[in-house]
Amino acid sequence: MAYIELPEGLPGIRGAMAFRPETARPLNDLVEFLLHAPNTLTQGERELIATYVSSENDCYYCQTIHGAIAAASLGGDEVLVKKVKVDFWNAEISDKLKALLVIAGQVQKGGKHVTSEAVANAKASGATDTEIHDTVLIAAAFCMFNRYVDGLGTTQPRDEAMYRERGKMVARDGYVAVSKEYLPASAMETV
Amino acid sequence: MPHISLPEGLPGISSGFAFRPETAKPMRELAHVLLHGPNSLSPAERELIATYVSSQNDCYFCQTSHGAAAAAHLGQNAETVIQVKHDFSRADISEKLKALLVIAGEVQQGGKHVSPASVEVARSLGATDVEIHDTVLIAAAFCMYNRYVDGLATWQPHDDEMYRAMGKRLAESGYAEPSRVTS
């Protein structure tokens, strides 16, 4: 039972977004740009950062749906996604992504936890300023999304097949496009 | 020194916004709807929630600029802003706002820290579902903004007059347009 009366049948953040379309639009625009728009970091890399932070924040819905989107972007490699969550140092990902995940983990603890050393390591592995910026902001944004989803006590069904299917769809179509199924058309207009 | 090459002379979040206009736009719009748009919670109440969370997250730029915006909404009452940051239970604010600040403080610690009991208290003091929703999202959003500002190690000048001017402008115009900083 959610803490407030959210529309039924919409798990996790979708119920909250349908409840308040005015805030749903900028939230969807932000996540669309950070995770789905063209970027020198691949979609899979960015979804892994989002999944890792959501896992550190212990948000079941977010880590499961973004883990599913990551897997869909990585040719269905769910084993890799699990590895990144529990032990990214030994996961089969680039050294650059490992260095960015260190920064993301520091942001999750708090903005002041980010060290110059971690940033220098990421730069030494080839990360650009924009990639470091986007990593910081993805991690920060998921500290918001995770708190939003858990802080309202949203419904978070334990149904792996549901997340897997939806993960494929979001990986393909993006966040703004799939939000049209539960947001009124008027919510798509710019304020 | 910021961790990346941010445009110089722009304090706090303005430098992150100028560096990446694509993400600045939805982040500004979100702040505008949450803090400045039409709402049954007054702009001052919402700015106080943002200030309190930013203070709990120890973000100097955010707590000072939003504190200044809250003070501007309250007729330049900086005393209430200081009270809310240090001990809101004794501040000169409504019991409903105190109950919402309890929820905001729980969100700051983590989404799972929100207790059904604090939601019940807020509701019994007249808080609506939309007000509880907005409180949770303002608190969550400032856990993002604060981490963004400090996580990039942005320039955060200690200049009371600059923040006062910024607060006045934010209170009047909101967040939709890029700021014109004069420092």
Side-chain angles (χ1 to χ4, degrees), chain A residues 20, chain B residues 37-43 45-46 96 128 130-131 134:
Chain A
R20 195 79 159 108
Chain B
N39 201 298
S40 53
L41 294 173
S42 71
E45 289 174 316
R46 288 175 279 157
K96 183 174 89 173
T128 65
V130 172
E131 289 169 350
D134 287 7

Side-chain angles (χ1 to χ4, degrees), chain B residues 138-160:
Chain B
I138 290 169
F142 277 82
C143 288
M144 167 178 70
Y145 294 122
N146 298 161
R147 280 171 171 77
Y148 184 50
V149 166
D150 280 336
L152 292 175
T154 60
W155 176 56
Q156 302 181 35
H158 289 227
D159 174 350
D160 289 347

Side-chain angles (χ1 to χ4, degrees), chain A residues 3-182:
Chain A
Y3 296 140
I4 58 174
E5 226 170 281
L6 299 175
E8 283 182 33
L10 293 170
I13 202 164
R14 281 185 273 158
M17 285 194 168
F19 177 83
R20 195 79 159 108
E22 299 88 340
T23 47
R25 198 191 50 76
L27 289 172
N28 272 311
D29 286 351
L30 180 62
V31 75
E32 173 85 13
F33 185 81
L34 284 174
L35 301 183
H36 196 77
N39 198 296
T40 51
L41 294 174
T42 66
Q43 187 183 8
E45 288 174 319
R46 287 174 283 157
E47 290 288 353
L48 284 174
I49 295 170
T51 304
Y52 173 68
V53 171
S54 301
S55 163
E56 291 293 291
N57 279 328
D58 193 26
C59 180
Y60 179 82
Y61 179 84
C62 296
Q63 69 177 283
T64 311
I65 185 62
H66 289 282
I69 301 165
S73 322
L74 296 162
D77 194 345
E78 294 180 4
V79 174
L80 179 64
V81 175
K82 285 207 179 81
K83 190 77 189 166
V84 165
K85 289 205 281 188
V86 297
D87 177 17
F88 68 77
W89 287 112
N90 290 307
E92 274 189 52
I93 53 173
S94 69
D95 286 342
K96 183 173 88 174
L97 183 54
K98 287 179 187 176
L100 293 175
L101 285 167
V102 169
I103 295 174
Q106 292 175 337
V107 171
Q108 185 268 336
K109 293 193 181 78
K112 288 192 167 65
H113 285 75
V114 177
T115 63
S116 305
E117 190 195 359
V119 174
N121 282 342
K123 286 180 184 172
S125 317
T128 65
D129 274 14
T130 299
E131 289 169 347
I132 292 166
H133 169 279
D134 288 2
T135 298
V136 169
L137 187 49
I138 290 168
F142 277 82
C143 288
M144 166 179 67
F145 290 123
N146 299 161
R147 281 170 171 78
Y148 187 39
V149 167
D150 279 336
L152 289 175
T154 61
T155 310
Q156 304 182 30
R158 269 34 177 188
D159 174 356
E160 286 199 23
M162 183 275 283
Y163 293 99
R164 195 176 288 123
E165 282 317 300
R166 195 161 180 90
K168 286 182 201 160
M169 192 168 80
V170 178
R172 188 188 62 222
D173 300 337
Y175 295 89
V176 170
V178 301
S179 73
K180 286 178 182 155
E181 69 185 48
Y182 59 87

